[in-house]
């Protein structure tokens, strides 16, 4: 017979016999094939034990076969899966608690079937000498049935009443001798549900007493076992009456009725827990719902309340350790808070690290419904205490009190509130007073937000030449030494946390850094991070940034994400400061040009005017960012920190401060950054051009003049030497002026200055127009302050109105402003265009300065 035919016939037979559960037809096919091969090996025929296809079986034979297969199915669908379930749970718990393996019962507990209190199929009392009950008088039938019922009620088969094998998750069924008198049989049928309930509860107790199912289920099983003991005492008393001949079937029915309701409730709870595969908080949730559902039935509600109280004891012990000490002792994963293995050191390394959010998380299915409203506070309470405990401080909660389940939720809600308030205060005071969080934030503000003016003057003077080099040629230790010198020479020397400030040469320029930050947790993240770096070498100015060393637990607030935002603000302002210094250097060097005949030239006056416009633009941008964005936001942050009641408020206020600074400084708007970068590039190229021109106009005789005025080794200069040098100086100035005039005529410097003026004006108008659009569309009215500052006398008003009129005439809507709430795709697209343009133009800092 082919394997396919065997599979088909076995599957059809199982369907005919209504056999459910187990592992399907494969189990029976394997057994059948092994049996055939065994018979063949023993010399028998392969079909000696298999009836022919044409043979028919009687209904009685069919029922016997169904019973036998049901028994096999029962053993395959209950015992084997239970062992597999225990093994799976054991592996899960051991994986979570590698150092503390879950204790297990010895194997003989499960291998010896007679240790159970439930029915053992096939071990009924011997029926060899049993008299057919139908031949007995009615009184004798009642006496025999009472004896059988007393056995059945404690999980032992009788002579005339036997338990049927379990089929799947169905309740226990019983077989009653069909020859029994109908009146007695009717009363027996009423009593048998008690035995079925006892069987279900007993199986539940024996299963859940295993360690693998957790402490809550174990406590529930223990409470049920206590009730079953009371039930067994009742049965013992009834047996005593039966031996004295004082127990009739009616009396048994009378005595057993109060217990019927209890076993019905217990059986219902056991079945619900099994079906839902409940553990821990989910078990308590089910018990609480059952207790609430029995409103109006005081007996049932009291019973469920007793079970819920008993089962909640281990859960509340875990809860008390968590909210009073910040410790989770949950080896069986039953608690609503789950701990993850994360290293707090990564907060200072990984921008996207989520230690505070993911170290401890809430498991929704383990939250009892009576604690649902307090879940967030329970999570926060333990987290706060855990931070302090990891700092080596012993915590003793003064409001610690045992939490007991009660139908009045307010009792333990108040206790959780007290623990939460204490934990919030302890951690907040620890960070604010002992760890000086505000002082650290103020120190970061001094350096990253360029609050310490004299320090930056000294630092930029000392490092100007070093930062002009390519980043690969810069010696970091030299920059660190210069940084330390600048700190000592300025008022920053009084800062107690100045030693935490370090030099950080970034691998990317500011635009690439912004691009990578915008790409985090998007589809473009891998492509952006895996992209090849720019071919243009970075200069020190492009790569330079500060870094700050933060230790635990301050790193919860000043984490890598926050420091990265500080770095972006610093690099943005540092670049503006650098451009301002370059323009001021042009102003200084232009003083020497006043001695030439070109000073009266029209184009040279135009260059002076353009330089002043550029300087006015850069200085007003810096003023806006420092005094109109960062300072007000900082004062708001300080006020909010004073009013904060917990560490989550501090985190929220600090993040809000950084987000506002980034947004109002145009760092989250790629369109504005694109225009702003173009303006800065024009300014840098203009300063380079003017520096090269003014260098050609320096008087070569300056050193000679100093040499003559100071004298030589032969003595002071004579009158003849002074007259000769005066004549040479006039001749040199004349020749140099003529050379500059020729250079101007041949190289088209007038056209160059005019081109710079045109580009600067175009980009500036574009920036002002875009700022107006963004402030109108997105409600960012603070950016209008830039417009008012740069157009204080209405110089650009007419041209802006003309641009607005042209835009309104076009049918197309204005381009959307890609501010922070805009879709990430638009931000990334704008940032990509900005990066492409930067590479095509040769960079924004170093390459332009090397022109």
């Amino acid at each position: 017979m082919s394997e396919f035919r065997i599979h088909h016939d076995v599957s059809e037979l199982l369907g005919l016999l209504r056999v459910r559960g187990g592992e399907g037809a494969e189990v029976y096919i394997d057994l059948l094939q092994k049996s055939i091969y065994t018979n063949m090996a023993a010399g028998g025929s392969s079909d000696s034990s298999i009836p022919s296809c044409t043979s028919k079986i009687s209904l009685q034979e069919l029922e016997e076969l169904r019973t036998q297969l049901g028994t096999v199915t029962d053993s395959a669908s209950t015992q084997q899966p239970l062992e597999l379930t225990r093994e799976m749970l054991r592996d899960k718990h051991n994986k979570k608690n590698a150092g503390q393996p879950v204790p297990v019962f010895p194997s003989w507990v499960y291998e010896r079937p007679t240790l159970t209190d439930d029915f053992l199929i096939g071990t009924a009392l011997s029926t060899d000498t049993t008299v057919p009950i139908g031949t007995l008088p009615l009184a004798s039938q009642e006496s025999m049935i009472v004896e059988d019922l007393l056995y059945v009620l404690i999980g032992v088969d009788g002579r005339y009443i036997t338990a049927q094998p379990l089929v799947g998750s169905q309740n226990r069924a019983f077989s009653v001798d069909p020859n029994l008198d109908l009146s007695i049989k009717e009363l027996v049928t009423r009593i048998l549900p008690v035995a079925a309930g006892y069987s279900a509860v007993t199986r539940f107790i024996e299963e859940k007493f295993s360690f693998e199912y957790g402490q809550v289920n174990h406590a529930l099983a223990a409470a049920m076992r206590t009730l079953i003991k009371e039930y067994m005492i009742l049965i013992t008393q009834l047996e005593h009456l039966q031996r004295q001949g004082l127990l009739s079937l009616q009396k048994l029915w009378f005595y057993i009725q109060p217990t019927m309701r209890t076993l019905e409730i217990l059986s219902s709870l056991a079945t619900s827990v099994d079906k839902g595969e409940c553990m821990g908080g989910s078990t308590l949730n089910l018990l609480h719902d059952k207790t609430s559902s029995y409103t109006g039935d005081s007996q049932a509600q009291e019973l469920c309340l007793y079970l819920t109280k008993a089962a909640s004891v281990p859960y509340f012990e875990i809860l008390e350790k968590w909210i009073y000490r910040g410790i989770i002792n949950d080896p069986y994963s039953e608690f609503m808070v789950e701990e993850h293995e994360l290293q707090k050191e990564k907060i200072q390394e990984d921008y996207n690290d989520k230690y505070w959010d993911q170290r401890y998380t809430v498991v929704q299915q383990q939250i009892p419904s009576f604690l649902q409203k307090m879940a967030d506070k329970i999570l926060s309470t333990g987290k706060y205490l855990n931070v302090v405990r990891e700092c080596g401080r012993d915590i003793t909660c003064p409001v610690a009190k045992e939490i007991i389940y009660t139908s009045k939720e307010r009792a333990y809600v108040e206790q959780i509130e007290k623990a939460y308030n204490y934990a919030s205060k302890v951690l907040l005071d620890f960070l604010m007073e002992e760890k000086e969080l505000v002082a650290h934030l103020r120190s970061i503000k001094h350096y990253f937000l360029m609050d310490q003016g004299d320090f930056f003057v000294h630092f930029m003077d000392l490092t100007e030449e070093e930062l002009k080099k390519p980043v690969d040629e810069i010696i970091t230790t030299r920059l660190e030494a210069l940084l330390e010198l600048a700190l000592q020479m300025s008022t920053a020397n009084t800062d107690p946390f100045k030693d935490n400030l370090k030099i950080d040469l970034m691998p990317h320029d500011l635009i690439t850094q912004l691009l990578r930050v915008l790409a985090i947790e998007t589809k473009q993240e891998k492509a952006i991070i895996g992209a090849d770096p720019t071919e243009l070498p970075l200069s020190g100015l492009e790569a330079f940034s500060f870094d700050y060393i933060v230790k635990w637990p301050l790193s919860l607030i000043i984490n890598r994400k926050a420091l990265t935002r500080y770095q972006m603000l610093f690099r943005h302002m540092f670049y503006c400061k650098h451009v301002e210094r370059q323009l001021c250097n042009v102003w200084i060097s232009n003083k020497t040009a006043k001695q030439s005949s070109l000073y009266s030239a029209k184009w040279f006056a135009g260059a002076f005017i353009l330089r002043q416009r550029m300087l006015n633009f850069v200085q007003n941008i810096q003023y806006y960012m420092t005094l109109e964005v960062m300072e007000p936001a900082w004062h708001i942050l300080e006020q909010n920190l004073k009013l904060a009641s917990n560490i989550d408020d501090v985190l929220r206020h600090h993040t809000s401060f950084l987000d506002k600074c980034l947004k109002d400084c145009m760092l989250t708007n790629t369109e504005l950054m694109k225009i702003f970068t173009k303006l800065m590039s024009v300014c840098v190229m203009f300063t380079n051009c003017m520096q090269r021109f003014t260098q050609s106009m320096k008087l070569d005789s300056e050193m000679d003049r100093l040499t003559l005025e100071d004298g030589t080794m032969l003595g002071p200069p004579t009158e003849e030497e002074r007259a000769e040098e005066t004549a040479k100086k006039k001749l040199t100035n004349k020749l140099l002026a003529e050379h500059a005039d020729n250079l101007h005529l041949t190289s088209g410097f007038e056209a160059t200055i005019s081109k710079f003026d045109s580009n600067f004006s175009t980009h500036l108008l574009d920036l002002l127009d875009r700022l107006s659009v963004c402030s109108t569309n997105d409600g960012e009215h603070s950016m209008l302050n830039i417009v008012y500052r740069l157009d204080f006398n209405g110089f650009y008003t007419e041209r802006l109105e003309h641009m607005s009129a042209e835009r309104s005439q076009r049918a197309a809507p204005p381009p959307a402003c890609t501010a922070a709430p805009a879709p990430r795709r638009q931000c990334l697209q704008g940032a990509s265009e900005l990066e492409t343009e930067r590479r095509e133009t040769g960079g924004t800092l170093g390459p332009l300065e090397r022109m």
Side-chain angles (χ1 to χ4, degrees):
M1 184 180 295
S2 66
E3 184 177 351
F4 174 78
R5 180 63 183 272
I6 294 175
H7 190 283
H8 172 74
D9 291 343
V10 172
S11 299
E12 189 175 1
L13 177 61
L14 292 177
L16 179 63
L17 296 174
R18 303 190 299 275
V19 176
R20 302 178 181 86
E23 299 183 3
E26 287 75 9
V27 176
Y28 305 105
I29 293 171
D30 291 341
L31 293 174
L32 182 60
Q33 289 179 339
K34 288 179 181 178
S35 178
I36 293 173
Y37 295 148
T38 302
N39 291 336
M40 293 177 63
S45 174
S46 61
D47 59 351
S48 59
S49 60
I50 302 177
S52 62
C53 298
T54 58
S55 63
K56 295 183 179 180
I57 60 176
S58 63
L59 293 177
Q60 184 177 358
E61 291 174 335
L62 179 62
E63 187 65 29
E64 291 177 358
L65 181 59
R66 179 183 299 165
T67 302
Q68 293 175 2
L69 288 176
T71 304
V72 176
T73 306
D74 174 59
S75 62
S77 61
T78 57
Q79 297 176 2
Q80 187 175 1
L82 283 178
E83 178 60 34
L84 292 176
T85 302
R86 284 194 295 268
E87 185 177 353
M88 181 187 67
L89 292 173
R90 195 181 307 123
D91 293 341
K92 177 183 176 182
H93 300 326
N94 289 337
K95 185 179 295 184
K96 180 180 178 182
N97 306 280
Q100 299 178 349
V102 175
V104 295
F105 286 123
S107 59
W108 56 264
V109 173
Y110 307 107
E111 294 171 355
R112 299 181 181 181
T114 55
L115 290 178
T116 181
D117 290 332
D118 195 16
F119 293 93
L120 290 176
I121 305 302
T123 60
L125 298 177
S126 176
T127 59
D128 295 340
T129 59
T130 301
V131 179
I133 197 168
T135 61
L136 299 176
L138 193 61
S140 299
Q141 288 188 27
E142 180 179 358
S143 177
M144 299 294 289
I145 285 300
V146 168
E147 183 181 359
D148 266 18
L149 283 174
L150 290 177
Y151 278 112
V152 170
L153 289 175
I154 59 174
V156 180
D157 284 333
R159 291 185 177 89
Y160 305 104
I161 305 174
T162 57
Q164 296 298 307
L166 290 172
V167 179
S169 58
Q170 297 179 5
N171 290 332
R172 178 77 69 182
F174 295 90
S175 175
V176 183
D177 194 311
N179 298 319
L180 185 64
D181 185 81
L182 291 178
S183 61
I184 297 177
K185 190 174 183 179
E186 176 66 23
L187 198 54
V188 169
T189 306
R190 296 182 184 180
I191 297 175
L192 285 179
V194 179
Y198 168 82
S199 175
V201 175
T202 301
R203 292 196 309 273
F204 178 83
I205 292 173
E206 292 176 352
E207 177 186 351
K208 303 306 179 185
F209 245 89
S210 297
F211 296 101
E212 292 84 356
Y213 291 93
Q215 301 177 74
V216 173
N217 284 342
H218 183 89
L220 176 60
M224 286 186 175
R225 172 165 285 184
T226 302
L227 296 174
I228 290 297
K229 287 181 179 179
E230 297 179 0
Y231 167 79
M232 296 297 290
I233 293 174
L234 172 64
I235 299 300
T236 303
Q237 294 173 349
L238 292 176
E239 288 178 350
H240 181 66
L241 291 176
Q242 190 267 340
R243 284 194 296 268
Q244 293 178 351
L246 302 176
L247 183 65
S248 64
L249 190 58
Q250 288 290 343
K251 286 185 177 180
L252 176 61
W253 168 242
F254 173 78
Y255 286 126
I256 209 70
Q257 281 190 59
T259 311
M260 182 178 291
R261 178 60 173 160
T262 300
L263 285 174
E264 180 186 350
I265 295 172
L266 295 181
S267 175
S268 174
L269 288 173
T271 304
S272 300
V273 171
D274 280 336
K275 285 184 177 180
E277 298 181 354
C278 300
M279 285 183 62
S282 56
T283 299
L284 293 181
N285 193 24
L286 187 147
L287 291 171
H288 176 75
D289 292 343
K290 285 284 186 180
T291 305
S292 302
S293 66
Y294 285 124
T295 302
D297 187 345
S298 58
Q299 181 182 357
Q301 191 172 40
E302 184 179 354
L303 175 62
C304 289
L305 185 62
Y306 164 75
L307 294 175
T308 309
K309 281 184 178 180
S312 64
V313 170
Y315 191 89
F316 280 136
E317 286 178 354
I318 301 174
L319 176 63
E320 289 169 10
K321 280 189 177 181
W322 175 245
I323 65 174
Y324 294 150
R325 300 181 60 191
I327 299 174
I328 285 187
N329 185 11
D330 183 24
Y332 303 102
S333 303
E334 301 175 280
F335 192 49
M336 68 170 71
V337 178
E338 183 179 15
E339 182 179 6
H340 303 278
E341 292 297 330
L342 297 177
Q343 297 179 0
K344 57 179 177 287
E345 291 77 12
K346 288 188 176 181
I347 299 180
Q348 277 296 97
E349 303 171 3
D350 185 5
Y351 173 86
N352 208 27
D353 183 73
K354 298 179 180 179
Y355 178 88
W356 181 249
D357 297 326
Q358 294 184 355
R359 171 70 190 278
Y360 297 101
T361 57
V362 172
V363 183
Q364 290 296 328
Q365 61 268 27
Q366 297 293 1
I367 304 177
S369 55
F370 52 87
L371 292 177
Q372 183 69 50
K373 296 179 181 178
M374 304 297 295
D376 291 336
K377 285 195 174 182
I378 291 173
L379 173 66
S380 300
T381 302
K383 286 170 64 176
Y384 297 160
L385 296 178
N386 182 265
V387 171
V388 181
R389 187 178 61 82
E390 288 192 358
C391 294
R393 292 188 54 180
D394 188 21
I395 306 170
T396 302
C397 183
V399 296
K401 184 180 178 182
E402 183 182 5
I403 301 177
I404 302 175
Y405 174 81
T406 173
S407 56
K408 298 178 181 180
E409 298 181 7
R410 192 61 194 169
Y412 46 78
V413 167
E414 291 178 355
Q415 194 61 29
I416 294 172
E417 288 278 3
K418 292 179 182 178
Y420 172 77
N421 294 332
Y422 169 77
S424 302
K425 186 176 185 304
V426 166
L427 179 58
L428 195 62
D429 292 344
F430 181 68
L431 290 177
M432 292 293 188
E433 298 175 5
E434 186 171 336
K435 297 299 180 180
E436 301 179 282
L437 173 62
V438 177
H440 277 278
L441 290 175
R442 191 175 291 112
S443 178
I444 290 176
K445 176 177 178 283
H446 290 334
Y447 307 119
F448 286 86
L449 304 187
M450 302 186 71
D451 186 19
Q452 208 79 25
D454 61 327
F455 159 72
F456 280 99
V457 171
H458 289 299
F459 179 74
M460 297 185 80
D461 286 341
L462 293 171
T463 60
E464 184 173 10
E465 294 300 323
E466 189 72 18
L467 291 178
K468 287 182 180 179
K469 300 177 182 178
V471 67
D472 296 334
E473 300 178 9
I474 294 179
I475 303 174
T476 308
T477 54
R478 177 174 174 78
L479 281 180
E480 294 281 0
L482 294 176
L483 171 63
E484 184 177 356
L485 181 60
L487 288 170
Q488 294 176 355
M489 293 171 58
S490 63
T491 55
N493 191 38
T494 59
D495 183 6
F497 307 114
K498 64 179 183 297
D499 294 334
N500 293 334
L501 189 66
K502 301 297 178 184
I503 298 293
D504 189 10
L505 296 177
M506 309 291 288
H508 312 284
D509 58 6
L510 176 59
I511 297 174
T512 306
Q513 187 180 16
L514 286 172
L515 188 64
R516 285 173 166 251
V517 170
L518 289 173
I520 289 177
E521 296 182 350
T522 64
K523 295 180 179 179
Q524 294 89 344
E525 181 174 8
K526 292 184 178 179
I528 295 296
I529 294 178
D532 294 334
T534 176
E535 297 178 359
L536 295 172
L538 295 178
S539 69
L541 284 166
E542 287 180 299
F544 178 76
S545 181
F546 282 139
D547 200 1
Y548 196 85
I549 300 175
V550 188
K551 297 181 180 179
W552 176 265
L554 291 178
S555 54
L556 287 174
I557 309 298
I558 313 171
N559 50 31
R560 177 49 54 187
K561 183 177 291 188
L563 284 175
T564 301
R565 295 178 181 181
Y566 276 117
Q567 285 180 334
M568 288 191 291
L569 288 168
F570 169 76
R571 298 178 76 180
H572 188 47
M573 297 182 63
F574 189 75
Y575 181 27
C576 292
K577 193 68 178 177
H578 163 71
V579 174
E580 180 191 12
R581 287 170 60 88
Q582 292 295 97
L583 290 170
C584 291
N585 290 338
V586 170
W587 175 78
I588 295 173
S589 60
N590 282 348
K591 286 188 174 182
T592 60
K594 295 180 180 180
Q595 301 176 9
S596 67
S597 60
L598 292 176
Y599 181 65
S600 59
K602 181 179 180 181
W603 72 266
F604 201 61
F608 280 179
I609 295 173
L610 178 59
R611 174 192 51 75
Q612 187 58 35
R613 287 177 58 203
M614 290 180 175
L615 188 60
N616 178 70
F617 165 73
V618 175
Q619 289 177 341
N620 276 285
I621 286 290
Q622 290 185 87
Y623 180 90
Y624 162 77
M625 290 191 294
T626 54
L627 297 180
E628 294 188 9
V629 174
M630 297 178 184
E631 284 300 326
W634 172 258
H635 287 301
I636 294 174
L637 174 64
E638 283 188 324
Q639 294 298 322
N640 289 335
L641 291 181
K642 292 178 182 178
L643 301 176
S645 59
N646 54 62
I647 195 65
D648 287 302
D649 289 346
V650 175
L651 272 169
R652 186 172 63 256
H653 293 320
H654 187 231
T655 303
S656 176
F657 162 73
L658 290 173
D659 288 343
K660 179 173 177 57
C661 290
L662 287 170
K663 189 174 183 179
D664 289 348
C665 290
M666 303 178 287
L667 285 172
T668 59
N669 191 318
T670 54
E671 288 293 328
L672 292 176
M673 274 301 296
K674 181 177 180 180
I675 302 170
F676 182 80
T677 304
K678 289 179 179 179
L679 276 167
M680 293 290 101
S681 299
V682 172
C683 293
V684 171
M685 288 188 287
F686 172 77
T687 58
N688 292 334
C689 179
M690 293 301 297
Q691 287 286 6
R692 289 196 305 273
F693 176 70
T694 53
Q695 284 175 3
S696 66
M697 300 184 65
K698 288 183 179 179
L699 301 178
D700 296 333
S701 60
E702 183 66 20
M703 293 301 298
D704 296 337
R705 183 183 64 80
L706 292 174
T707 301
L708 288 175
E709 289 181 355
D710 295 338
T712 63
M713 295 181 64
L714 300 176
T718 61
E719 291 297 331
E720 292 183 5
E721 290 175 341
R722 289 184 180 276
E724 184 179 355
E725 284 301 321
T726 301
K728 287 182 179 181
K729 188 183 299 183
K730 291 180 179 179
L731 180 60
T732 301
N733 288 340
K734 181 179 179 181
L735 293 175
L736 190 57
E738 291 176 356
H739 172 70
D741 283 330
N742 292 335
L743 186 63
H744 161 62
L745 294 175
T746 57
S747 302
F749 271 88
E750 184 175 1
T752 301
I753 298 301
S754 177
K755 184 66 175 177
F756 277 126
D757 192 309
S758 175
N759 288 340
F760 179 77
S761 299
T762 301
H763 295 320
L764 181 57
L765 281 171
D766 196 10
L767 177 65
L768 296 176
D769 180 61
R770 186 64 61 181
L771 287 170
S772 301
V773 172
C774 288
S775 61
T776 302
N777 294 346
D778 298 336
E780 298 298 330
H781 302 300
S782 60
M783 290 187 180
L784 282 177
N785 293 338
I786 305 178
V787 180
Y788 297 147
R789 285 198 155 275
L790 298 177
D791 191 29
F792 64 94
N793 58 356
F795 179 76
Y796 300 106
T797 302
E798 183 178 352
R799 299 181 66 177
L800 286 173
E801 291 176 353
H802 179 69
M803 293 175 66
S804 178
E806 289 181 349
R807 186 171 56 253
S808 62
Q809 289 176 0
R810 293 193 296 266
C817 177
T818 55
R824 281 287 184 91
R825 184 177 300 175
Q826 296 180 6
C827 294
L828 290 173
Q829 182 179 359
S832 300
E833 294 175 358
L834 187 57
E835 172 65 9
T836 302
E837 181 173 352
R838 188 194 70 80
R839 296 185 181 185
E840 291 176 352
T841 57
T844 57
L845 285 176
L848 290 175
E849 293 178 342
R850 293 190 288 272
M851 290 179 59

